[in-house]
Amino acid sequence: MSTLQVSVWRGGEAGALQEYEVPRLESQTVLDVVTHIQRRIDPTLAYRFACRVGMCGSCAMTVNGRARWTCRTHVSRVAADGKLELRPLSNLPVVKDLVTDMSEFFDKWAKARGRFEGAATRKEEFARVSPASPKRREADSGIECIGCGVCYSSCDVVSWNPAYLGPAALNRAWTLVNDERDTGNRARLAAVAGDAGCHACHTHMSCSERCPKQISPTAAIAGLKRAAAVAALKGEI
Ligand code: SF4
Ligand code: SF4
Ligand code: FES
């Protein structure tokens, strides 16, 4: 049976890579490899997963230098030479081993006012939003985000400027800017137009290239830049 040589980050921020040998199997995912190590070799290895089918986003890690969902990454695609290097997601504090603290990632969603702010009461009719309306189409892909952090971990601007709200929070803000039922846009545009907001994006596209759901935060951020400029010209922000 052939084997994989797997280097895994162990410890906190000041940890180090540790080597493991894992049997290579057909149709094996990177998450299968991590699970093998934790169940068969070292039960103290910390990692996170839930759904195993690309729905929850919790299994994201850095695999051979690139952020990925490990449950949807086949070993054969990334380790042709039989070597894997697994680290926690970049740009986030390490809790232990492959587990990062996502608090600041989600705090930034709140700072970008990434929550729905409606005015309707339950006594009113349901809002009817046409799937064909330009705003609904603009928001269409962005609402599929599952908050995995792959884009955030891949963004150089987050690395240089830890205050930067980042691609996921800004993508979320853009979906709400296009939500006809939402009433919080003035405050939202003011929140995302600051120094740590959409204007800090250098359009490197790493977020859009790496998002496993083929979402384009880069396009969303460009939309926010336009909307913030219009709001500023109108004196609204
Ligand atoms: S396009 Fe903007 S948000 Fe996306 S990775 Fe590049 S700098 Fe970051
Ligand atoms: S935009 Fe894509 S990569 Fe970023 S958090 Fe959402 S699903 Fe993950
Ligand atoms: S375990 Fe849920 S997306 Fe990978």
Side-chain angles (χ1 to χ4, degrees), residues 54-210:
M55 290 184 73
C56 71
S58 63
C59 66
M61 298 171 204
T62 307
V63 180
N64 288 356
R66 186 177 169 137
R68 294 176 177 278
W69 292 346
T70 53
C71 74
R72 301 291 288 170
T73 302
H74 280 261
V75 168
S76 55
R77 193 148 58 93
V78 289
D81 61 355
K83 290 187 180 151
L84 274 179
E85 188 184 277
L86 307 177
R87 294 173 182 261
L89 285 179
S90 306
N91 294 342
L92 290 161
V94 181
V95 177
K96 181 177 183 281
D97 304 337
L98 298 167
V99 177
T100 51
D101 181 350
M102 303 288 285
S103 308
E104 66 190 43
F105 174 78
F106 288 112
D107 286 349
K108 287 178 179 179
W109 284 48
K111 283 187 186 150
R113 300 185 79 92
R115 68 183 159 80
F116 178 71
E117 293 175 49
T121 68
R122 62 181 61 204
K123 296 201 177 80
E124 286 161 64
E125 274 287 307
F126 280 112
R128 288 180 173 78
V129 178
S130 165
S133 77
K135 284 190 147 199
R136 179 61 181 78
R137 290 169 80 117
E138 191 63 53
D140 207 28
S141 60
I143 55 177
E144 300 295 331
C145 172
I146 60 171
C148 65
V150 163
C151 56
Y152 187 85
S153 167
S154 308
C155 176
D156 286 343
V157 177
V158 177
S159 311
W160 304 328
N161 175 8
Y164 176 46
L165 294 172
L170 293 170
N171 174 72
R172 172 69 182 150
W174 181 237
T175 65
L176 289 165
V177 165
N178 285 290
D179 190 326
E180 292 166 23
R181 304 161 305 166
D182 189 279
T183 55
N185 272 340
R186 188 179 278 215
R188 185 171 297 115
L189 288 173
V192 302
D195 287 347
C198 56
H199 299 297
C201 168
H202 290 189
T203 323
H204 288 161
M205 301 281 292
S206 316
C207 54
S208 306
E209 280 163 18
R210 302 211 178 153

Side-chain angles (χ1 to χ4, degrees), residues 28-41:
Q28 187 178 29
T29 65
V30 174
L31 184 61
D32 292 336
V33 171
V34 180
T35 301
H36 177 93
I37 296 171
Q38 199 266 348
R39 296 206 179 148
R40 305 283 174 90
I41 305 175

